[in-house]
């Protein structure tokens, strides 16, 4: 938003906070470009429009493409003004609600409010989205929590051939390691459980059966404490090629080890998906279960590519 002309990829990698620090730390250009492409898709997934401007004489030539966020998407009517205190309150109110709870118009309005005061002479400010909500189950679960209603949903665990319907008193929605979970009381098991939203494979049905709203008190804290306790019991020893995208992302939550780095994780299948996406940039030393899961995913990908050649 600081430029009408747009910026080239090289200019962005060299000036935007986050990329610049990684570059100075020795990250390769290839790793930074991969990170740039993922971040660009994340921004678009959040509803932030990004224009790609090619060569004027040859629009299809994107080698020197420039990128910009069109200011027209953020312009407020001339007769609307906000004091600094009003902007602070509006930002605070917007921050209380997750992205999935706002309408498209509300999200657009909030982005415009947050963009007020950006001067073209100011340095470019790094933008790092916290979360990208794609799970359709988030909205119904949030409504059920607010209404203190029991829900049912089909839940597919790894290794199971078919989904099993769960009946749950939903108490809190929590984000952990960029993934949403619903924490609640499993009615059939008569025990507290945490469910990954990405494994809910059908509609969430809100029943007419209610529960005591007092059960929600402190539920979010209990859920996060439970996830952190699981992560503390599970860690992977990894060898990662320096300067790669894998190194940039995994080092953020890793501790140094004699042979590479050690990274805590909650779910072996979810973590295996992430590690497999890095390809040859990372190797799992231990545990064997995680290594086997990564190898299985890489073998499946190789087989698919072999069939399509």
């Amino acid at each position: 938003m600081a430029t009408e002309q747009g910026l080239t990829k090289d200019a962005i990698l060299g000036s935007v906070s986050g990329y610049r620090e990684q570059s100075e730390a020795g990250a390769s250009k290839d790793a930074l470009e991969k990170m740039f492409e993922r971040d660009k898709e994340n921004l678009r997934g959040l509803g932030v429009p990004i224009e790609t401007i090619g060569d004027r004489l040859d629009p299809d030539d994107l080698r020197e493409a420039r990128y910009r966020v069109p200011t027209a998407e953020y312009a407020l009517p001339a007769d609307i003004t906000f004091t600094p205190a009003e902007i602070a309150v509006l930002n605070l109110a917007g921050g209380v609600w997750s992205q999935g709870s706002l309408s498209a118009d509300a999200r657009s309005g909030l982005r415009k409010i947050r963009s007020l005061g950006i001067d073209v002479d100011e340095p470019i400010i790094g933008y790092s989205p916290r979360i990208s909500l794609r799970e359709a189950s988030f909205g119904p679960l949030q409504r059920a929590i607010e209404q203190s209603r029991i829900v049912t949903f089909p839940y597919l665990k790894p290794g199971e051939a078919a989904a099993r319907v769960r009946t749950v008193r939903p108490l809190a929605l929590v984000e952990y390691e960029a993934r949403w979970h619903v924490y609640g009381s499993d009615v059939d098991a008569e025990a507290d459980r945490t469910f990954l939203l990405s494994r809910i494979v059908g509609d969430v049905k809100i029943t007419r059966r209610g529960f005591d709203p007092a059960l929600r008190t402190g539920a979010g804290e209990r859920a996060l404490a439970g996830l952190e306790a699981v992560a503390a019991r599970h860690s992977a020893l990894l060898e990662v090629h320096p300067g790669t995208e894998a190194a940039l992302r995994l080092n953020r939550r890793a501790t140094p080890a004699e042979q590479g780095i050690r990274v805590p994780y909650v779910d072996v299948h979810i973590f295996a998906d992430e590690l497999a996406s890095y390809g040859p940039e990372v190797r799992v030393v231990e545990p064997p279960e995680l290594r086997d899961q990564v190898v299985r995913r890489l073998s499946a990908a190789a087989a698919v590519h072999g069939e399509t050649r």
Side-chain angles (χ1 to χ4, degrees):
M1 290 202 57
T3 170
E4 287 292 328
Q5 304 297 324
L7 294 172
T8 64
K9 185 187 297 184
D10 287 342
I12 293 171
L13 296 180
S15 61
V16 174
S17 176
Y19 297 125
R20 184 178 61 248
E21 287 80 358
Q22 295 293 349
S23 178
E24 292 171 353
S28 69
K29 185 175 181 180
D30 182 60
L32 290 172
E33 288 186 350
K34 286 183 180 179
M35 194 172 181
F36 170 78
E37 292 300 324
R38 289 200 188 197
D39 290 344
K40 189 170 61 175
E41 291 307 309
N42 283 339
L43 284 172
R44 284 173 171 155
L46 289 170
V48 177
I50 299 176
E51 288 186 350
T52 303
I53 306 170
D55 188 288
R56 183 169 56 85
L57 299 177
D58 185 5
D60 294 329
D61 184 1
L62 299 180
R63 288 175 297 179
E64 295 298 325
R66 306 177 76 85
Y67 302 89
R68 71 173 182 178
V69 176
T71 54
E73 294 289 333
Y74 290 80
L76 289 171
D79 58 345
I80 293 181
T81 59
F82 296 104
T83 66
E86 288 171 335
I87 292 175
V89 171
L90 287 168
N91 271 307
L92 181 62
V96 170
W97 298 98
S98 71
Q99 174 194 354
S101 305
L102 297 175
S103 67
D105 289 340
R107 289 198 299 272
S108 177
L110 186 58
R111 288 200 305 272
K112 292 178 181 180
I113 290 168
R114 287 175 173 167
S115 73
L116 293 175
I118 294 181
D119 196 316
V120 294
D121 295 327
E122 291 295 317
I124 299 167
I125 301 173
Y127 182 90
S128 179
R130 293 178 300 169
I131 194 90
S132 179
L133 281 179
R134 295 184 175 88
E135 291 86 1
S137 58
F138 186 95
L141 287 170
Q142 186 182 48
R143 290 194 298 273
I145 292 171
E146 293 170 351
Q147 298 169 8
S148 300
R149 295 282 193 87
I150 292 175
V151 299
T152 63
F153 52 79
Y155 192 75
L156 182 62
K157 292 181 64 176
E160 294 185 350
R164 185 156 57 94
V165 175
R166 303 297 184 100
T167 304
V168 177
R169 299 181 187 92
L171 304 179
L173 283 160
V174 295
E175 182 269 336
Y176 189 78
E177 292 184 349
R179 297 176 183 90
W180 280 104
H181 305 72
V182 60
Y183 172 80
S185 174
D186 189 314
V187 175
D188 297 325
E190 297 185 350
D192 291 344
R193 294 285 188 269
T194 302
F195 301 93
L196 193 64
L197 262 60
S198 61
R199 290 184 180 151
I200 297 177
V201 294
D203 294 338
V204 174
K205 297 181 180 179
I206 303 176
T207 72
R208 295 182 179 180
R209 299 156 59 193
F211 60 86
D212 185 356
L215 295 174
R216 302 189 314 231
T217 303
E221 290 79 3
R222 295 197 302 274
L224 290 174
L227 290 168
E228 289 170 355
V230 172
R233 296 194 300 268
H234 298 88
S235 67
L237 182 60
L238 308 175
E239 290 180 346
V240 183
H241 290 288
T244 61
E245 183 191 10
L248 296 181
R249 296 185 180 274
L250 293 171
N251 281 330
R252 295 173 181 174
R253 56 186 194 268
T255 55
E258 291 185 5
Q259 183 183 356
I261 58 174
R262 189 164 288 278
V263 182
Y265 64 91
V266 171
D267 187 288
V268 65
H269 299 279
I270 295 295
F271 195 38
D273 288 342
E274 178 185 357
L275 296 180
S277 73
Y278 299 131
E281 296 177 0
V282 59
R283 187 176 79 87
V284 180
V285 180
E286 60 180 34
E289 179 189 11
L290 176 62
R291 182 172 61 244
D292 293 344
Q293 291 292 336
V294 173
V295 170
R296 183 177 304 172
R297 285 159 174 76
L298 293 175
S299 298
V304 170
H305 284 283
E307 292 173 358
T308 56
R309 281 189 302 193

